[in-house]
Each structure stands twice: as C-alpha cells, then as structure tokens.
Amino acid sequence: MYLKEDYSVALEQDVAVHVENLEKSFGSLKVLQGISTQIRKGEVVAVIGPSGSGKSTFLRCINLLEVPTAGKIYINGTDITSRHTDIIKIRQNVGMVFQHFNLFPHMTVLDNVTYAPIKVKHVPKDTAREAGMELLEKVGLAEKAKVYPSKLSGGQKQRVAIARALAMKPEVMLFDEPTSALDPEMVKEVLEVMKDLARTKITMAIVTHEMGFAREVADRILFLDGGRLAEDASPQQFFTHPQCDRAKQFLEKIL
Ligand code: ADP
Ligand code: MG
C-alpha cells in the first residue's frame, strides 16, 4: 500500500500542469467536454486541432483567463480552480503569449518587459532593468530596448512579448498561435526563440499550426476535436500513425 503512495508522490512532483475532467461552456455551448491530461515539468506540448475545437479556451483555462465550468486544474500541485486561489499569483506563474502581441503601445520595449516585475512583484527597478536587458538579449532585441513598439516588425513585437512573459519567471509558458498573425518571413525568427526556450526546459504548451515546428520541438502532441482530447501522442506517432479519423483528416488537409 505505501509503495503505491510513494509512486504517486514521485509522479506528482514531476507534473507541472494537471488537468482533470476540464469542462467549459459559454451559455449552452459546451466548448471543452471533459479534458484530462498532465504536462510534466520541462515538457513541451503542442496543442493542435481544427478551428473552433477549443484550443484557445483550453489554454485560457490554464491561466484562468477563463473560469472552468467543471473539473480541476493543478499547477505544480496547487489547485487553481479552488475558490480560495489567488488568481494574480497563479498568473505570475503561468506566462502567456498571444497571437496579437498586446504590447503596451505607450511604453518602450524595455518598459514593456519590466512593467509587471516592478508593479506586481515589486522587483527593484535596477534589478528589473538588468534582467529585462538580459531577456532582450536572449530574444535578440537588446538594441531595441528604448524603442516604442510601433517601430518594430511583427516578429520583433512577438519576441518582445515573449521576453515580457519570461520576465515574470513563470514556471509554465502558454503560447496561443504565436506566429499566426506574422508575415511568413517573420515566422522563423519567433520559432527560433521558442526553440531556444524549449531547450531551457521550461514547461511549455503551444497552440500552433506550424506542424514542422510541432514535430521537431514538441515532446507530445495533444489533438483537440470538438472540445475533447481526441489524441495524446508523441509527435512521431501522431504524424506517422494518427489513431483517430479526425486526426487523419486534419493531417491530410494541412500536410
Ligand atoms: P480554437 O482556439 O480551437 O479555434 P476556441 O477555444 O477559440 O477554439 O473556441 C471554441 C469555441 O468556443 C468556438 O465555437 C468559439 O466560438 C467559442 N467561444 C470561445 N470563446 C467564447 C466566448 N468568450 N464566448 C462565447 N463563445 C466562445
Ligand atoms: Mg484559438
């Protein structure tokens, strides 16, 4: 008996995101219909599926931009769906990058990156700026620190958005189609930054239509269809032997 318990404790420690029977409805529209999965610490998961299948809603539930209708979500063992959870604190731990970068237009690039650490985490300004510059270097934009977002290309804006999310030192990073709004020539620079990030062993969940990237970088593919997790497989298995018909059809259409 105690052996079994030991086993579950060991597993629990390795889990960054634990989702159990997650449901989300908007009025009578059931968007997520009972999703259960785990994302291990350091794992990179690609979330794939047809438009309207619930991918964005799934990610948004993980950092409580949407409140689940039913089910449980644990981040590093903490039940974020509990009524007693401090939502602000959870969001600090779970960074999110959107399709449309949502940078603050009236702030310089560096101020965009340091704003939340200073305001929310009360990091001293000098420390935040130093860390911010390091992050801008990491995404290849140190020389743009004093520039306003309107002077940047889409790819550069998205790289700033990634640096900004990282500035909070999140334990989990969520990306919702980070390259979908970009001109084709800028997709690569953003994917490269994400690839570097994946190597640092931060836990990542990425909604993407970039199948080459998913195949190369993801440890696991989650295929959503109609608000259900239709397939949960390694990239190798998903792309060569998809199990369900919907995944087969989906891949035939886009590959
Ligand atoms: P995906 O990201 O896979 O395209 P979404 O999660 O954005 O899917 O949307 C899934 C379904 O939920 C769609 O039918 C969409 O219209 C609906 N939906 C998403 N957000 C809302 C909302 N805030 N209010 C009502 N319906 C929504
Ligand atoms: Mg979406």
Side-chain angles (χ1 to χ4, degrees):
M1 190 62 195
Y2 92 88
L3 260 182
K4 187 171 170 254
E5 274 172 19
D6 269 356
Y7 180 63
S8 65
V9 166
L11 279 180
E12 199 59 32
Q13 285 173 346
D14 290 341
V15 175
V17 182
H18 179 129
V19 178
E20 217 174 272
N21 286 319
L22 173 63
E23 294 179 19
K24 175 67 186 177
S25 299
F26 294 104
S28 59
L29 182 67
K30 285 188 166 183
V31 173
L32 301 180
Q33 313 209 43
I35 293 185
S36 297
T37 190
Q38 295 186 336
I39 305 174
R40 292 191 310 275
K41 287 182 182 165
E43 195 173 29
V44 177
V45 166
V47 182
I48 288 172
S51 176
S53 58
K55 304 180 298 294
S56 294
T57 304
F58 176 61
L59 280 203
R60 292 166 65 82
C61 283
I62 295 177
N63 78 346
L64 293 182
L65 283 175
E66 301 290 355
V67 178
T69 307
K72 293 272 176 208
I73 302 172
Y74 301 85
I75 307 282
N76 291 336
T78 301
D79 178 3
I80 67 165
T81 41
S82 149
R83 230 174 297 161
H84 308 291
T85 300
D86 180 351
I87 294 186
I88 305 287
K89 211 158 192 182
I90 294 298
R91 294 229 183 96
Q92 288 180 30
N93 250 341
V94 183
M96 183 136 178
V97 173
F98 303 88
Q99 184 175 343
H100 300 284
F101 338 110
N102 305 341
L103 296 178
F104 307 121
H106 59 291
M107 289 184 197
T108 65
V109 162
L110 183 59
D111 286 342
N112 262 277
V113 174
T114 59
Y115 180 79
I118 292 170
K119 286 287 175 216
V120 182
K121 275 192 161 174
H122 308 295
V123 174
K125 268 189 189 160
D126 287 353
T127 316
R129 293 178 83 81
E130 208 173 294
M133 283 309 296
E134 257 172 52
L135 283 169
L136 286 177
E137 237 155 70
K138 210 163 157 179
V139 300
L141 289 172
E143 81 280 9
K144 300 287 186 193
K146 291 184 178 155
V147 159
Y148 285 86
S150 59
K151 295 276 187 288
L152 301 179
S153 71
Q156 290 171 331
K157 281 182 197 165
Q158 192 58 299
R159 286 187 280 150
V160 174
I162 293 172
R164 181 177 62 172
L166 289 173
M168 291 298 276
K169 299 197 167 88
E171 295 177 64
V172 177
M173 280 283 281
L174 309 174
F175 296 85
D176 193 357
E177 299 195 26
T179 60
S180 295
L182 299 177
D183 291 335
E185 71 268 24
M186 292 167 191
V187 169
K188 198 165 166 242
E189 67 191 50
V190 172
L191 293 181
E192 284 301 322
V193 165
M194 293 170 64
K195 227 184 269 183
D196 284 346
L197 202 54
R199 286 195 203 99
T200 68
K201 286 292 161 199
I202 186 167
T203 309
M204 296 163 74
I206 308 162
V207 175
T208 184
H209 295 292
E210 296 288 335
M211 293 303 136
F213 173 79
R215 192 170 185 157
E216 184 189 341
V217 177
D219 298 305
R220 236 168 82 219
I221 307 289
L222 303 182
F223 178 75
L224 289 194
D225 181 44
R228 294 177 205 279
L229 187 53
E231 204 148 333
D232 181 344
S234 69
Q236 162 72 11
Q237 187 186 337
F238 180 78
F239 287 109
T240 54
H241 303 289
Q243 298 297 301
C244 68
D245 288 340
R246 287 294 286 141
K248 281 176 201 162
Q249 290 163 9
F250 178 78
L251 288 173
E252 271 164 22
K253 257 190 232 157
I254 58 165
L255 290 182

